[in-house]
Amino acid sequence: QTQMDNLSVQATLIIGFALSMWAGETLMPLLEDDSQLCIWKSWYHLFFASVFFIFVAVCISCCLIIVSIVSYIKQAAQEAALIVSTGAAVAVTRQHLNTLNYYFVVAYASFTLSAVLLIILYVGLPSRLPADTAEHRLSELSGEGESQEGWGSELESIVELFDGTFSITCLDPRNPRDNAVRDSWGAGIAAANTLVILSMSAWGYRKFLFVRQSYKPLQLLSWFVTYQTEQKQKHDAVASLPGNRRSRIDSEVDSTDTSARGGLPTSPK
């Protein structure tokens, strides 16, 4: 019960930190098309941003699965302990705890990678487009009869460097191609995150059905009888060994070995 509580609390905390990466002051500079931190300016900015959003989605989804299943297991385990057997309820709960720990490792790894990618997006990538690109845009605008002074005041994101070249912070909002790239990549990132969340939700529901089935009295009793039989066979095998080997092997055999599944279906991971 204590391990379940700790796992649920830690997963809830990670959900809070991960959601802070998805909105508010963290997300706004990455999406504004005139920001030095925007993700639309090059293919590698878009690549790191896409991976960042996907890892955040995976992290939040895994943590939500953990919190939901832990809440159900707490109630189902107590009911199973009263109806079937305390030993059976504890054994099957430990088995599910191993799977939940695996989900937590995935969530924690995804959260860590998301934090690393966020640092890369903020300080590890160029904040302006290459000078030749901005200079080309300057020539296009100059050809339309706009003065450099008027053009600069109209689009402050483009500046002239001391060496005579020009740079731009992100996109030129007057360029149709830039707007098309932003819209298409934005739709792609949104679709990818939606797909990840829906897929993880379906997987979590499948896992929930498995957990619920395992706590049904007949299923749990059948599994526990097989489980006890396998454990007794292990201890009998250890007892028949010579004394010089028994102490070493006995330490490797646990009466509450959660690797034995017996009649319980294999848990999806």
Side-chain angles (χ1 to χ4, degrees):
Q1 191 79 6
T2 302
Q3 295 181 35
M4 289 284 184
D5 291 337
N6 292 337
L7 196 62
S8 180
V9 170
Q10 293 172 13
T12 304
L13 291 175
I14 291 180
I15 290 175
F17 287 119
L19 286 175
S20 67
M21 297 182 181
W22 250 4
E25 297 180 358
T26 302
L27 192 61
M28 186 177 299
L30 299 177
L31 301 181
E32 292 179 339
D33 56 13
D34 60 348
S35 170
Q36 293 188 5
L37 302 175
C38 85
I39 63 176
W40 318 112
K41 62 186 67 175
S42 68
W43 67 267
Y44 46 87
H45 285 82
L46 289 168
F47 170 77
F48 282 109
S50 301
V51 177
F52 163 74
F53 284 114
I54 289 175
F55 273 127
V56 173
V58 171
C59 173
I60 294 175
S61 299
C62 286
C63 288
L64 288 175
I65 291 174
I66 292 172
V67 173
S68 302
I69 293 180
V70 165
S71 298
Y72 175 79
I73 287 179
K74 287 180 180 180
Q75 301 176 6
Q78 294 178 359
E79 182 178 353
L82 294 175
I83 297 177
V84 182
S85 166
T86 301
V90 170
V92 74
T93 300
R94 287 182 178 178
Q95 199 170 56
H96 294 316
L97 184 61
N98 287 340
T99 302
L100 293 176
N101 284 330
Y102 171 78
Y103 289 158
F104 182 78
V105 170
V106 174
Y108 187 81
S110 299
F111 175 77
T112 303
L113 290 174
S114 299
V116 172
L117 289 170
L118 186 62
I119 294 174
I120 292 175
L121 290 172
Y122 265 79
V123 300
L125 297 177
S127 59
R128 291 181 175 272
L129 288 175
D132 57 344
T133 303
E135 187 173 6
H136 176 67
R137 291 174 180 172
L138 172 62
S139 64
E140 291 179 348
L141 292 173
S142 299
E144 297 174 359
E146 295 186 32
S147 65
Q148 180 175 335
E149 180 180 358
W151 167 66
S153 62
E154 180 183 352
L155 194 62
E156 297 180 354
S157 59
I158 301 180
V159 297
E160 182 179 2
L161 305 180
F162 290 136
D163 60 0
T165 58
F166 294 84
S167 65
I168 185 171
T169 56
C170 188
L171 300 179
D172 186 346
R174 298 167 299 184
N175 190 313
R177 179 179 176 277
D178 287 352
N179 289 317
V181 169
R182 179 195 57 204
D183 295 341
S184 60
W185 272 94
I189 292 175
N193 278 265
T194 302
L195 181 61
V196 169
I197 294 175
L198 292 178
S199 300
M200 294 295 293
S201 299
W203 185 263
Y205 182 70
R206 179 171 176 244
K207 177 62 182 176
F208 169 77
L209 294 178
F210 169 81
V211 172
R212 187 176 65 177
Q213 180 69 22
S214 67
Y215 281 103
K216 290 185 177 180
L218 293 179
Q219 177 75 19
L220 179 58
L221 184 60
S222 175
W223 171 82
F224 190 58
V225 170
T226 306
Y227 173 83
Q228 286 183 315
T229 301
E230 292 181 354
Q231 294 304 306
K232 185 176 184 302
Q233 291 175 352
K234 289 182 179 180
H235 284 280
D236 291 343
V238 171
S240 64
L241 294 174
N244 59 344
R245 296 179 56 194
R246 178 175 178 178
S247 59
R248 177 177 60 85
I249 298 180
D250 189 51
S251 63
E252 300 176 357
V253 178
D254 184 6
S255 60
T256 58
D257 182 13
T258 58
S259 63
R261 298 181 182 269
L264 192 65
T266 302
S267 171
K269 292 186 179 181

